[in-house]
Amino acid sequence: METILIKAVQLILSLSLLVLIHEFGHFIFARIFKVRVEKFYLFFDPWFSLFKFKPKNSDTEYGIGWLPLGGYCKISGMIDESMDKAQMAQPPQPYEFRSKPAGQRLLIMTAGVIFNFLLALFIYSMVLFYWGDTYIPLKNVTYGMEYSSTFKNIGFQDGDILLKADTTTLERFDENCLRQVVNARTVTVLRDGDEVAIAIPADMMQRLLRDNEGFARCRVPMIINEVQSQSAIEAGLQKGDRITGVNEVSVIATSDVSNELYANRGKNVRIDIVRNGQQLSVNAPIDSLGHIGILTGNNPNLIYETVTVKYNFFGSFPAGIKLGVNTLKGYVNDMKYVFTKEGAKSVGGFGAIGNLFPASWNWRIFWERTAFLSIILAFMNILPIPALDGGHVMFLLYEVVTRRKPGDKFLEYAQIAGMIILFSLLIFANGNDLLRFFSR
């Protein structure tokens, strides 16, 4: 329950910030062009609001709604989610959106997307400035990787060290590495000292989405962090011991040790360890669940040598911009898989978004996830779907090109159709979350 609460708080805080920045973009450009903004709300307020106030001599009511599905900026003289038909039936006023030139209206409508993208670039820059960029070069992962069954089925083996995707050297293990691997024709790995080429099927991403088992993770040895049970203490196990064998079977990685312990559950077996460079053996009992009463650490950053790139304040901005642009390119490239059967099943709603955040509070991860969501929000909003900013932009571009403004009635129907599409997608995405939850 505590884990869910921590993730929920991070999700709400992150989305609230992104919605405020997005709507502020619309708000500030509307005010620049002297367009009246009637409401500026965080969350939606059907029937009632949790909080609202209207400053003296201001046309704008500010508030917080009770339905945490976003927010809105109600601009006078504009057909939007408020569906204020009464206002649109009146003669246009100079302060209304519909009375302004198409170029100004276009800037007002794109401002939210622009602000979200700029926010992502700023956050990435500040993360790099404050924490730097720390990663493990793949060449340093000397124990190799542990691969999902999806990748083992095409020829990968646990312990393989990733070297190249086609002719491109793989430098670090991240989302970009996965994209390089699945889009390559051949991936080269180092296996037992030899380079081995593995052919990648053209539908590798679809297989990955279908099996939902992930790609791989760094292989790490089992090193004891804490000895908990009395039996383990009596056996002579100590903090810092690295387990290298179970019941005369040589083991390398944490998963190997766990498998052997489970296979010998309920027995008293020989445990081979390395302590301060010396090879030792102890006899220890394994309980019925395959445990020997120890806690281990499996953080690759504590096992392998990392590289940290530091940035000064001004140097962080080019690096942050590059990171943001590459993130956007990767996300846009991945969108093509949404229109496949496997990709559609992987679409998620608030549950999937919440799971992007860790179970314990980590400010760096929080800001990185917030920047990523800001890019997603910007991209999704610019899609040419009526009811989204991109839908309004589409009709404005039509007006600029043809010099003919779409009729208010047409825009009303388009807005309704767009809202139906969005609510359908919302139900579908969150329905996928529920199916995944109950199928565990």
Side-chain angles (χ1 to χ4, degrees):
M1 186 62 186
E2 182 181 354
T3 296
I4 295 175
L5 181 61
I6 292 173
K7 288 187 176 185
V9 170
Q10 292 179 90
L11 175 63
I12 293 172
L13 181 60
S14 177
L15 292 183
S16 297
L17 173 63
L18 300 184
V19 168
L20 282 173
I21 294 297
H22 181 91
E23 298 304 333
F24 180 73
H26 293 311
F27 175 87
I28 196 66
F29 270 75
R31 300 307 299 133
I32 287 172
F33 297 126
K34 295 181 171 54
V35 176
R36 181 177 294 177
V37 178
E38 298 176 15
K39 284 187 172 185
F40 185 91
Y41 264 71
L42 173 64
F43 306 149
F44 294 114
D45 62 327
W47 304 296
F48 69 93
S49 59
L50 299 178
F51 168 79
K52 63 181 179 181
F53 77 101
K54 190 173 185 179
K56 188 177 180 180
N57 300 324
S58 173
D59 297 316
T60 307
E61 175 184 293
Y62 302 88
I64 300 175
W66 61 270
L67 188 60
L69 296 178
Y72 69 98
C73 177
K74 188 177 185 304
I75 297 174
S76 294
M78 175 182 169
I79 297 174
D80 57 13
E81 60 270 13
S82 67
M83 297 302 293
D84 191 348
K85 297 180 181 180
Q87 183 186 76
M88 298 303 295
Q90 302 299 318
Q93 300 298 319
Y95 57 78
E96 289 185 336
F97 177 81
R98 55 181 166 167
S99 300
K100 301 300 178 179
Q104 293 184 7
R105 284 180 279 139
L106 188 62
L107 286 172
I108 292 171
M109 292 315 306
T110 56
V113 168
I114 293 171
F115 271 48
N116 273 135
F117 188 61
L118 291 177
L119 174 65
L121 300 184
F122 178 75
I123 291 175
Y124 278 135
S125 298
M126 291 301 96
V127 167
L128 292 174
F129 169 65
Y130 188 81
W131 284 287
D133 181 16
T134 299
Y135 65 97
I136 305 172
L138 281 170
K139 64 181 181 180
N140 292 353
V141 186
T142 53
Y143 289 99
M145 313 294 291
E146 292 181 358
Y147 298 90
S148 67
S149 61
T150 307
F151 281 84
K152 287 181 179 178
N153 289 338
I154 65 168
F156 285 87
Q157 295 181 14
D158 288 343
D160 286 351
I161 300 174
L162 294 166
L163 296 179
K164 290 184 295 185
D166 290 331
T167 58
T168 303
T169 299
L170 297 172
E171 295 181 358
R172 63 168 75 186
F173 186 64
D174 56 12
E175 293 87 354
N176 189 50
C177 175
L178 171 60
R179 294 189 185 101
Q180 290 175 300
V181 168
V182 298
N183 291 320
R185 292 187 175 183
T186 304
V187 170
T188 304
V189 300
L190 186 65
R191 181 183 299 166
D192 298 327
D194 297 321
E195 291 191 4
V196 177
I198 302 172
I200 306 298
D203 65 341
M204 194 63 216
M205 181 59 83
Q206 285 89 333
R207 297 188 188 194
L208 190 62
L209 293 171
R210 179 196 64 207
D211 298 340
N212 195 29
E213 292 184 357
F215 172 29
R217 60 184 178 184
C218 292
R219 211 169 183 221
V220 295
M222 180 174 279
I223 298 176
I224 300 175
N225 271 0
E226 182 182 343
V227 181
Q228 290 184 310
S229 71
Q230 186 61 34
S231 60
I233 294 174
E234 292 174 355
L237 293 173
Q238 296 180 14
K239 178 179 179 179
D241 290 348
R242 175 165 62 89
I243 299 178
T244 59
V246 177
N247 200 28
E248 300 184 358
V249 175
S250 179
V251 290
I252 296 175
T254 296
S255 58
D256 302 328
V257 177
S258 298
N259 292 337
E260 288 301 320
L261 290 176
Y262 187 77
N264 290 279
R265 58 192 182 280
K267 299 179 182 179
N268 192 298
V269 300
R270 191 182 86 181
I271 306 293
D272 298 322
I273 59 175
V274 173
R275 178 184 301 163
N276 298 325
Q278 292 186 321
Q279 184 77 48
L280 303 172
S281 297
V282 301
N283 291 318
I286 306 174
D287 66 20
S288 59
L289 297 176
H291 300 154
I292 55 175
I294 60 173
L295 281 180
T296 62
N298 57 0
N299 185 351
N301 287 351
L302 301 177
I303 305 297
Y304 300 114
E305 183 180 353
T306 62
V307 171
T308 299
V309 181
K310 289 289 187 180
Y311 297 91
N312 60 35
F313 181 76
F314 294 104
S316 67
F317 287 99
I321 291 171
K322 181 180 179 181
L323 177 57
V325 170
N326 287 339
T327 301
L328 175 61
K329 287 180 179 178
Y331 183 75
V332 172
N333 181 68
D334 292 344
M335 280 297 293
K336 63 188 177 186
Y337 299 112
V338 172
F339 302 100
T340 65
K341 179 182 177 181
E342 297 82 6
K345 290 181 179 179
S346 70
V347 171
F350 291 111
I353 298 173
N355 282 328
L356 291 174
F357 295 95
S360 58
W361 200 282
N362 182 303
W363 278 111
R364 175 171 186 158
I365 297 177
F366 171 80
W367 286 118
E368 287 176 338
R369 297 295 186 269
T370 298
F372 177 62
L373 290 176
S374 194
I375 285 177
I376 292 178
L377 183 61
F379 176 74
M380 296 301 291
N381 259 287
I382 206 62
L383 292 177
I385 300 175
L388 291 178
D389 294 344
H392 293 284
V393 170
M394 177 176 62
F395 295 132
L396 280 167
L397 291 176
Y398 169 82
E399 180 182 345
V400 170
V401 172
T402 65
R403 300 185 182 277
R404 294 173 55 191
K405 188 176 181 181
D408 289 347
K409 213 61 176 174
F410 170 80
L411 292 176
E412 285 179 15
Y413 290 140
Q415 184 74 20
I416 293 171
M419 291 174 69
I420 291 173
I421 292 172
L422 292 181
F423 278 118
S424 299
L425 290 174
L426 188 66
I427 293 170
F428 175 75
N430 287 282
N432 276 349
D433 284 348
L434 290 174
L435 288 175
R436 282 190 285 266
F437 179 78
F438 288 112
S439 62
R440 290 177 181 174

